[in-house]
Amino acid sequence: MQSVAFRSLCIAGLATVLLLTASPSAFGGGPVDKGTDTGAGLEGDDLYARATAISYDTSKNGSGPDVGSVAVSGGSWSPPACWLAPKWTAEKFAKETEAGYKKVANDPNQAPHARKGSYEFRQIYKDGKYKNYNLDKQDEGMWWGPVENPNAPILERTSCNSTLPFWAENGETPDVENAITPEILAGLAYEQIKVPGTEVTLAPKTATKVNLPTWAWLDKGEFQPVSVTASLDTPGLNIQATTTAEPVSLKLAPGTEDAELYPSSGECRINGDGSIGEPYAEGKAERTPPCGLKYLRSSSGSTFMLQATITWKISWAGTGGTGGDLPDGIFGTTQDVTVQEIQAVNR
């Protein structure tokens, strides 16, 4: 078994090699929302860079001026901060590792531990655990390495960097922690989900009155499921996952403690036809709205900030019949509500 000191030295060597040889095209791979990305028209290193990146189909995402990303509802779940994926062909890995080693070895300003680390890292793949970078298996597999999610906190996204590059046969998902899977892709697609804003229709429309029930609703068709598909298509692996967000409820927050909600929880479920609540119409003045609120004091010449938040149920389906649920997402907007005193009529 390798000692901790030896492993640390090799990791230091890996860092030195990559820092000296990496280019944006060679080591790109973080998620960038570019819609449907096929990589057409790219050549050389640019094609390789596109192959190692996660691509996103956002054609079924939400749209509109108030569109936004959902926030995770409760819990501590977050999209993946890093993962391990196919990154280098045998030829490319050999070329870049040798180039990095030579730069370190021939640089008189390099510290002894960097020289030693670079040498021992090279030896693992040239004459140690592996032989000559597996060049004789060029068409049979890929070298895997860490990929960081640039949207994650920096201390979390570097947590995969202690894993040394390793070889895996084409089409194989190695049984190692953080190896890229459809479920990881689903988490990355979650991060790219966009949903429309939530401005509810109110009655009375312009200004409501103290102690007068205010009806709130969203018409059917305003909120439909949205989805994003994340894909990884490399010579070594071809997997994908589609993450879908479906609206399930509307929650109202009146902007003041001096108010009552309908229902009392403030959460209005979506109806079978996709609408929320019920539009107000003549003859309903004596009824309690199925979704709405009642202000108990005026806004005194100002307004209350009514917050309307939609909860989205998130699920995913991926390559090989995989799938499941992810934590609910929430997204809300605010709107001004003017509340006036009912004027008494003197007779």
Side-chain angles (χ1 to χ4, degrees):
M1 181 179 293
Q2 293 178 348
S3 69
V4 173
F6 175 74
R7 183 171 177 79
S8 298
L9 197 57
C10 289
I11 292 171
L14 168 64
T16 303
V17 169
L18 296 189
L19 284 172
L20 289 174
T21 64
S23 66
S25 64
F27 294 96
V32 178
D33 185 3
K34 296 182 179 179
T36 303
D37 192 351
T38 63
L42 297 176
E43 298 179 357
D45 281 350
D46 285 337
L47 179 57
Y48 173 80
R50 186 62 54 85
T52 60
I54 307 299
S55 63
Y56 295 94
D57 179 354
T58 59
S59 61
K60 296 180 181 179
N61 219 348
S63 60
D66 298 320
V67 71
S69 301
V70 294
V72 177
S73 176
S76 58
W77 182 90
S78 60
C82 63
W83 55 92
L84 302 173
K87 293 185 66 175
W88 305 279
T89 62
E91 182 178 358
K92 190 173 185 68
F93 184 61
K95 178 180 178 182
E96 295 188 358
T97 302
E98 286 294 317
Y101 166 70
K102 289 176 182 178
K103 283 189 177 182
V104 175
N106 296 326
D107 184 354
N109 296 318
Q110 287 292 331
H113 73 273
R115 291 170 179 269
K116 184 175 178 60
S118 178
Y119 171 77
E120 294 187 348
F121 173 80
R122 172 186 182 244
Q123 288 304 102
I124 293 173
Y125 302 98
K126 185 171 176 61
D127 298 308
K129 179 179 180 180
Y130 303 97
K131 301 300 179 184
N132 198 28
Y133 303 101
N134 279 357
L135 286 171
D136 60 333
K137 301 179 180 180
Q138 171 74 19
D139 298 324
E140 299 175 19
M142 292 278 287
W143 288 103
W144 286 51
V147 181
E148 297 179 8
N149 181 348
N151 300 319
I154 188 168
L155 293 179
E156 295 179 18
R157 70 184 190 224
T158 58
S159 60
C160 298
N161 290 352
S162 61
T163 302
L164 294 174
F166 60 91
W167 180 263
E169 300 296 321
N170 287 337
E172 172 190 350
T173 300
D175 185 18
V176 296
E177 186 178 6
N178 297 318
I180 189 75
T181 61
E183 187 171 3
I184 287 179
L185 291 178
L188 295 171
Y190 187 118
E191 195 172 46
Q192 303 293 328
I193 287 283
K194 298 289 189 298
V195 296
T198 313
E199 183 170 355
V200 296
T201 303
L202 300 175
K205 185 176 182 179
T206 54
T208 188
K209 306 295 184 182
V210 173
N211 293 321
L212 177 68
T214 299
W215 292 57
W217 70 92
L218 288 164
D219 293 330
K220 63 182 179 180
E222 288 193 28
F223 286 88
Q224 299 292 332
V226 300
S227 65
V228 171
T229 298
S231 303
L232 175 64
D233 185 6
T234 76
L237 197 63
N238 183 353
I239 55 176
Q240 68 174 32
T242 298
T243 298
T244 301
E246 182 178 1
V248 292
S249 66
L250 165 72
K251 190 172 183 64
L252 299 176
T256 174
E257 294 182 354
D258 297 318
E260 294 179 358
L261 295 167
Y262 308 109
S264 59
S265 64
E267 187 169 5
C268 308
R269 305 298 296 182
I270 288 187
N271 302 319
D273 63 357
S275 64
I276 300 179
E278 181 182 322
Y280 178 78
E282 187 176 351
K284 295 181 179 181
E286 301 302 319
R287 290 175 48 189
T288 298
C291 181
L293 66 168
K294 179 170 67 176
Y295 286 98
L296 306 179
R297 67 177 178 90
S298 76
S299 55
S300 302
S302 183
T303 58
F304 292 125
M305 297 295 292
L306 172 65
Q307 184 174 44
T309 302
I310 291 285
T311 295
W312 298 79
K313 179 177 174 57
I314 313 276
S315 60
W316 68 278
T319 302
T322 53
D325 293 327
L326 292 170
D328 289 348
I330 56 173
F331 182 69
T333 54
T334 58
Q335 57 197 91
D336 295 333
V337 177
T338 300
V339 182
Q340 301 172 339
E341 295 281 1
I342 297 178
Q343 300 297 318
V345 178
N346 295 322
R347 293 182 182 271

